[in-house]
């Protein structure tokens, strides 16, 4: 049976349509994906992120353990701050892309939807004598994303959020006598604060934000925003078929920290320029489904991993072989039947030794 958010009944009563994703019954749309995406880009939208896994990690060795298991440097993480990091296999392939926040009660881990069990099992495998333990918060809390240029003002009015929080900042406070945590994540390359609240109080918090003018954001609109921003997602761009560098997660990888699982592989790829493919943004005249092969110059050169329809037309993410990672490069999506669909590369990374961050990429994790 699919899991449901603590906000499910509220969503259903407000006219949401639902879909199954990652073992959860999630709100897909309220109005239309483009209308909801427009709200997120220009006003204030509410995204129910409750399917995203949540752990509290405690014990004196917890931070050091996570530092040794993942790609980014965490051992110097300041209080009330977070960083993104990747759990990788011994071959340097992606397991999941996490946020790790250092709070007064311990560490808070945010996993991808459907990844909670895999992350917990992976960490447990490498926990031997360390004083570290994980407690799941996924069923006892809700996670509400408040997204858009109007989010900060709305949160200041409703929950008393302090102004000026930067990406990666965390705030611990209360709302109507209930503990509340706000995390600045900008998960869709827009201003975004994720509110972690006890599950019983989440519907009241959602309603209070709606009363201040925030509008709901369904998963279909989230996909539009995510694909447009070039943000990879577990199960699509983040799988054990790819490593973090191919997925464009350079800001989540430290190349000057100590050893971690998969570190030697990633270091060699960067040092010797051996990255053979990478994630790119694409545009087509009509929608092209995920898993569609991409061809150019008479050969297969990549694959579509995600697609959506934005205001200017169909867009997609896909992995392309290195020689074809050029803006405006023409490719063809070869469908099982019918004529190939012509497309072009909208943005592609310039791989080492001169790596180029994409427009709108997150700032340095420790910048104010």
């Amino acid at each position: 049976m699919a899991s449901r958010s603590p906000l499910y009944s509220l969503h259903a009563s407000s006219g949401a349509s639902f879909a199954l994703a990652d073992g959860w019954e999630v709100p897909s749309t309220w109005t239309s994906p483009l209308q909801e995406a427009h709200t997120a880009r220009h006003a204030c939208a509410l995204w129910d992120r409750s399917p995203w896994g949540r752990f509290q990690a405690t014990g004196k060795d917890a931070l050091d353990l996570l530092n040794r298991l993942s790609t980014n440097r965490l051992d110097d993480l300041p209080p009330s701050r977070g960083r993104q990091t990747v759990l990788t296999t011994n071959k340097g392939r992606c397991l999941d892309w996490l946020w790790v926040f250092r709070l007064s009660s311990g560490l808070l881990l945010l996993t991808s939807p459907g990844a909670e069990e895999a992350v917990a099992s992976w960490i447990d495998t490498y926990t031997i004598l360390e004083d570290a333990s994980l407690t799941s918060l996924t069923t006892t809390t809700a996670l509400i994303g408040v997204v858009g240029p109007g989010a900060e003002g709305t949160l200041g009015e409703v929950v008393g959020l302090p102004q000026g929080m930067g990406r990666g900042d965390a705030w611990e406070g209360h709302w109507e006598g209930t503990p509340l945590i706000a995390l600045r994540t900008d998960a869709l390359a827009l201003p975004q604060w994720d509110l972690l609240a006890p599950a019983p109080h989440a519907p009241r918090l959602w309603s209070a934000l709606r009363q201040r003018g925030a509008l709901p954001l369904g998963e279909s609109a989230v996909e539009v925003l995510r694909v447009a921003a070039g943000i990879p997602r577990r199960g699509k761009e983040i799988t054990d078929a790819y490593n973090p560098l191919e997925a464009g997660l350079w800001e989540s990888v430290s190349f000057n920290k100590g050893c971690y699982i998969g570190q030697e592989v990633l270091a060699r790829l960067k040092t010797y320029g051996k990255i053979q493919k990478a994630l790119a943004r694409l545009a087509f005249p009509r929608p092209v489904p995920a898993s569609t092969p991409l061809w150019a110059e008479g050969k297969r050169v990549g694959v579509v991993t995600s697609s959506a329809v934005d205001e200017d037309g169909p867009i997609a993410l896909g992995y392309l072989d290195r020689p074809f990672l050029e803006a405006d490069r023409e490719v063809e999506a070869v469908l099982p039947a019918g004529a190939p669909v012509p497309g072009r590369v909208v943005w592609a990374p310039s791989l080492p030794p001169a790596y180029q961050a994409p427009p709108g990429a997150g700032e340095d994790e420790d910048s104010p």
Side-chain angles (χ1 to χ4, degrees):
M1 183 178 178
S3 300
R4 288 178 172 178
S5 160
L7 299 164
Y8 177 88
S9 296
L10 197 60
H11 299 332
S13 66
S14 63
S17 60
F18 292 87
L20 293 177
D22 303 302
W24 287 73
E25 192 171 1
V26 297
S28 176
T29 56
W30 273 266
T31 54
S32 74
L34 290 183
Q35 185 174 338
E36 292 168 18
H38 185 272
T39 297
R41 285 166 168 156
H42 299 283
C44 181
L46 300 181
W47 174 19
D48 185 357
R49 301 192 73 194
S50 296
W52 295 68
R54 300 176 290 287
F55 286 109
Q56 183 183 48
T58 54
K60 64 181 180 63
D61 299 324
L63 192 59
D64 177 68
L65 177 64
L66 291 171
N67 185 64
R68 289 185 283 113
L69 291 183
S70 67
T71 58
N72 211 349
R73 183 165 186 175
L74 300 175
D75 56 353
D76 62 347
L77 186 64
S80 301
R81 286 285 298 163
R83 289 188 188 137
Q84 287 181 285
T85 190
V86 186
L87 293 179
T88 48
T89 68
N90 56 7
K91 294 183 178 181
R93 304 297 181 88
C94 297
L95 178 69
D96 195 23
W97 186 26
L98 314 174
W99 269 103
V100 178
F101 286 92
R102 188 174 182 180
L103 306 178
S104 61
S105 58
L107 303 177
L108 176 65
L109 280 62
L110 302 183
T111 80
S112 299
E116 186 177 15
E117 184 176 342
V119 168
S121 177
W122 188 256
I123 294 174
D124 183 65
T125 297
Y126 292 95
T127 305
I128 303 173
L129 298 176
E130 289 86 356
D131 176 15
S133 61
L134 291 180
T135 301
S136 176
L137 304 177
T138 305
T139 59
T140 59
T141 63
L143 191 66
I144 300 172
V146 188
V147 187
E152 186 173 34
T154 298
L155 287 169
E157 294 176 2
V158 176
V159 303
L161 182 80
Q163 303 295 290
M165 287 178 61
R167 184 173 182 270
D169 283 346
W171 172 75
E172 298 177 74
H174 289 81
W175 178 71
E176 295 189 352
T178 301
L180 183 68
I181 296 171
L183 312 167
R184 178 78 187 266
T185 61
D186 295 357
L188 297 172
L190 294 168
Q192 178 173 327
W193 287 257
D194 292 332
L195 304 180
L196 183 70
H201 302 281
R204 194 169 77 250
L205 177 58
W206 180 278
S207 297
L209 293 165
R210 287 292 309 271
Q211 289 171 7
R212 291 300 179 104
L215 298 175
L217 182 70
E219 289 297 320
S220 295
V222 167
E223 277 297 279
V224 172
L225 297 168
R226 182 185 73 81
V227 174
I231 298 170
R233 178 163 174 153
R234 186 177 187 268
K236 297 186 177 183
E237 295 77 29
I238 298 174
T239 75
D240 61 7
Y242 305 108
N243 65 59
L245 307 185
E246 293 169 337
L249 304 180
W250 291 80
E251 289 78 13
S252 298
V253 178
S254 171
F255 291 100
N256 55 20
K257 61 176 276 187
C259 293
Y260 58 87
I261 296 172
Q263 182 263 343
E264 291 184 1
V265 175
L266 299 184
R268 285 198 302 269
L269 288 171
K270 175 180 180 291
T271 300
Y272 299 107
K274 295 297 185 181
I275 301 166
Q276 299 302 314
K277 57 182 174 291
L279 194 62
R281 305 180 204 172
L282 307 142
F284 295 94
R286 59 188 177 91
V288 173
S291 301
T292 300
L294 296 170
W295 284 64
E297 299 181 1
K299 60 185 177 182
R300 178 169 173 160
V301 299
V303 63
V304 173
T305 52
S306 295
S307 63
V309 178
D310 205 351
E311 294 173 347
D312 294 329
I315 55 175
L317 296 179
Y319 282 97
L320 284 175
D321 292 346
R322 184 168 185 153
F324 300 89
L325 291 169
E326 298 175 350
D328 294 321
R329 164 75 75 158
E330 293 183 355
V331 296
E332 289 185 331
V334 179
L335 303 172
V341 182
R344 66 180 181 89
V345 177
V346 175
W347 178 89
S350 174
L351 297 177
Y355 174 68
Q356 171 192 336
E363 62 199 58
D364 182 270
E365 298 295 354
D366 283 330
S367 62

